[in-house]
């Protein structure tokens, strides 16, 4: 009896294999499954036969039937995969993107932050420690926010300080020349007191050379409140510069002119290359000019106060500063040409990464 069932099982396997080879679609496969693995299929009919067998033979027969079930289930699953894959390839293959969900995922390429991102993160972290919030603003600006509200009305000679890309001259739509319009936008939006920094791209009709790019990044700072004075500005900037370049650097404030700040200052640090002795990087002066700053001009507050009365210049004071991020990165990492940041030369980027080493600010 047991030989009989073993023989039948063998025959069933041969038949099932032969039949499944010719199956082309899921409907045929379902018929096959019902025939062999379904309720009235081969497996269950063999199982039923066991009950009429002699007790001694039952374990062996049961084992053989289980083996058969495993083989048939394996055949079924293999075929199912084959049909699904051929459906994806034949039916969907003409479409450009095909999701073959059984394929393993593609490994992502390894990548690092760009030097400008790294320096920006480091700079932001220093200001965060001083309680500055982070804000942003549009790259496409209006004449009002980029100039007029910043006390630089039409025909004001100071407009020549920034050679501007206009998108629509008659409507005064332009690419912002600096991040200072964000001062106006944040004051219109938030009541004093507050302090923010803002980072973003700026655009000027400057030809590329070793220290100029027509597109570059600036970081703007703004603090407004009821008793803010020049000492606060000095304190914040000296702390920032010493954190970034080292406690040993000297910081110098010289009088300067910006239409939107009064008094205004141009701030330099002692040369990071020659430590103030004089070299080609600092043009022999021992100083590197690093940012512009000043106390917010009362005319700027008046422009805001027209919309938001809490900015009346007899109640509110504040300071602002702005700096070029590429120039800071060049000094911090001793990079002699701004164009390296934009050429995407993998040799430069790799060398930059190697110079930073493991103990760098990438993880900030
Ligand atoms: C300004 O843009 C003022 N908005 C800064 C400011 C803000 C002053 C708040 C007072 C209060 P300036 O034009 O000097 O200032 O530009 C600031 C910095 O941007 C420069 O010191 C320089 O680092 C950077 N910069 C300017 N033009 C370029 C350029 N073409 N390529 C790279 N960096 C540039």
């Amino acid at each position: 009896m047991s030989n009989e069932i073993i023989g039948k099982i063998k025959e069933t396997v041969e038949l099932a294999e032969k039949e499944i080879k010719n199956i082309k679609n899921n409907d045929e496969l379902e018929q096959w499954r019902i025939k062999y693995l379904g309720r009235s299929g081969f497996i269950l009919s063999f199982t039923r036969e066991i009950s009429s067998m002699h007790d001694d033979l039952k374990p062996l027969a049961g084992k053989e039937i289980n083996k058969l079930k495993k083989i048939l289930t394996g055949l079924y699953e293999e075929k199912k995969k084959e049909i699904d894959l051929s459906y994806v390839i034949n039916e969907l293959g003409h479409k450009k993107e095909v999701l073959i969900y059984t394929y393993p995922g593609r490994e992502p390429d390894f990548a690092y932050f760009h030097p400008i991102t790294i320096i920006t993160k480091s700079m932001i972290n220093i200001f965060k420690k001083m309680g500055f919030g982070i804000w942003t603003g549009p790259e496409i600006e209006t004449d009002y926010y980029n100039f007029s509200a910043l006390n630089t009305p039409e025909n004001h000679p100071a407009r020549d300080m920034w050679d501007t890309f206009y998108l629509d001259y008659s409507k005064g739509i332009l690419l912002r020349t600096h991040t200072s319009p964000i001062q106006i936008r944040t004051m219109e939006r938030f009541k004093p007191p507050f302090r923010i920094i803002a980072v973003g791209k700026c655009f000027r009709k400057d030809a590329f050379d070793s220290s100029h790019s027509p597109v570059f990044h600036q970081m703007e700072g703004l603090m407004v409140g009821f008793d803010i004075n020049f000492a606060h500005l000095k304190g914040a900037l000296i702390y920032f510069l010493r954190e970034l370049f080292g406690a040993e650097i000297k910081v110098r404030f010289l009088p300067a002119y910006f239409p939107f700040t009064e008094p205004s200052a141009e701030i330099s640090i002692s040369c990071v290359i020659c430590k103030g002795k004089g070299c080609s990087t600092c043009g022999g002066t021992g100083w590197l000019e690093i940012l512009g700053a000043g106390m917010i001009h009362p005319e700027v507050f008046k422009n805001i106060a027209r919309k938001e009365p809490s900015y009346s210049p007899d109640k509110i004071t504040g300071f602002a500063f702005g700096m070029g991020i590429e120039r800071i990165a060049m000094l911090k990492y001793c990079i002699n040409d701004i164009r390296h940041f934009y050429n995407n030369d993998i040799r430069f980027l790799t060398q930059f990464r190697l110079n930073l080493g493991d103990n760098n600010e990438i993880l900030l």
Side-chain angles (χ1 to χ4, degrees):
M1 183 72 174
S2 84
N3 278 350
E4 201 180 307
I5 199 163
I6 290 171
K8 269 200 216 166
I9 285 174
K10 217 174 145 210
E11 274 169 31
T12 307
V13 173
E14 278 167 16
L15 186 66
E17 277 176 341
K18 202 168 139 202
E19 283 181 9
I20 208 164
K21 263 189 198 145
N22 298 323
I23 286 179
K24 295 267 176 310
N25 57 45
N26 275 325
D27 288 344
E28 289 170 13
L29 183 64
E30 182 58 7
Q31 292 309 317
W32 183 95
R33 189 192 64 77
I34 293 168
K35 180 172 172 185
Y36 291 96
L37 296 161
R39 281 166 184 238
S40 336
F42 277 70
I43 294 284
L44 280 180
S45 74
F46 285 141
T47 312
R48 265 179 235 116
E49 274 184 43
I50 293 182
S51 57
S52 59
M53 282 182 188
H54 191 277
D55 279 353
D56 290 350
L57 299 175
K58 280 181 182 167
L60 181 66
K63 226 171 159 187
E64 290 301 318
I65 292 169
N66 277 341
K67 251 198 234 166
L68 175 66
K69 194 175 172 191
K70 225 171 164 184
I71 294 171
L72 295 179
T73 310
L75 286 174
Y76 173 82
E77 277 169 6
E78 271 299 298
K79 194 68 184 182
K80 177 107 185 87
K81 258 193 217 161
E82 188 188 311
I83 291 172
D84 287 349
L85 192 61
S86 82
Y87 171 77
V88 170
I89 290 166
N90 296 331
E91 302 294 316
L92 306 177
H94 62 281
K95 293 183 186 161
K96 271 196 180 139
E97 281 180 44
V98 178
L99 177 67
I100 302 176
Y101 53 85
T102 48
Y103 277 19
R106 235 183 282 142
E107 270 195 32
D109 288 339
F110 225 81
Y112 298 105
F113 287 120
H114 189 273
I116 296 299
T117 310
I118 294 172
I119 190 81
T120 305
K121 279 168 172 260
S122 319
M123 291 162 72
I124 287 176
N125 277 352
I126 300 171
F127 282 109
K128 266 193 193 162
K129 281 200 257 177
M130 286 188 271
F132 281 75
I134 320 289
W135 204 247
T136 184
E139 289 169 6
I140 297 176
E141 264 299 2
T142 61
D143 196 289
Y144 178 76
Y145 285 101
N146 197 76
F147 291 125
S148 309
L150 288 161
N151 196 30
T152 322
E154 225 175 306
N155 302 324
H156 191 293
R159 283 204 182 195
D160 297 342
M161 286 164 75
W162 299 285
D163 210 350
T164 310
F165 285 111
Y166 278 90
L167 299 180
D168 187 333
Y169 188 77
S170 62
K171 291 191 182 134
I173 311 280
L174 48 84
L175 294 176
R176 69 176 173 205
T177 58
H178 50 180
T179 41
S180 297
I182 300 172
Q183 288 181 31
I184 306 298
R185 290 186 177 275
T186 47
M187 286 193 276
E188 282 182 356
R189 188 164 176 154
F190 303 111
K191 287 190 175 166
F194 71 84
R195 57 194 126 160
I196 54 108
I197 51 163
V199 177
K201 287 194 183 76
C202 303
F203 309 83
R204 291 186 194 178
K205 281 191 195 162
D206 287 340
F208 255 125
D209 65 22
S210 61
S211 59
H212 290 87
S213 162
V215 184
F216 59 98
H217 296 79
Q218 278 190 350
M219 178 177 279
E220 189 83 11
L222 172 69
M223 181 165 185
V224 283
F226 302 100
D227 255 325
I228 308 296
N229 60 44
F230 205 88
H232 295 119
L233 169 63
K234 278 183 82 175
L237 289 180
I238 291 172
Y239 175 80
F240 164 71
L241 292 168
R242 293 210 165 133
E243 281 282 299
L244 191 65
F245 290 105
E248 68 287 353
I249 60 146
K250 291 192 191 119
V251 182
R252 182 181 76 174
F253 286 69
L254 287 183
Y257 171 75
F258 292 103
F260 33 90
T261 46
E262 182 59 35
S264 303
E266 160 200 304
I267 291 118
S268 307
I269 55 168
S270 49
C271 180
V272 287
I273 309 290
C274 63
K275 314 279 176 237
K277 289 190 197 86
C279 67
S280 60
T281 302
C282 59
T285 62
W287 293 100
L288 297 163
E289 194 191 315
I290 204 137
L291 50 81
M295 302 306 294
I296 307 286
H297 198 295
E299 287 301 320
V300 173
F301 281 137
K302 273 189 209 160
N303 290 332
I304 310 290
R306 275 188 213 110
K307 290 185 189 166
E308 174 49 67
S310 54
Y311 280 95
S312 160
D314 43 312
K315 286 190 227 137
I316 295 297
T317 53
F319 66 73
F321 54 85
M323 58 194 126
I325 293 183
E326 282 79 355
R327 301 267 179 91
I328 294 209
M330 286 168 79
L331 295 174
K332 170 110 175 129
Y333 302 120
C334 297
I335 293 164
N336 60 5
D337 197 315
I338 199 169
R339 287 167 287 204
H340 284 310
F341 295 128
Y342 297 104
N343 286 345
N344 279 334
D345 184 336
I346 199 75
R347 291 167 302 179
F348 164 76
L349 295 170
T350 309
Q351 193 56 50
F352 180 85
R353 158 81 199 164
L354 290 175
N355 288 353
L356 276 189
D358 286 337
N359 192 14
N360 58 54
E361 292 109 317
I362 288 179
L363 301 174
L364 283 177

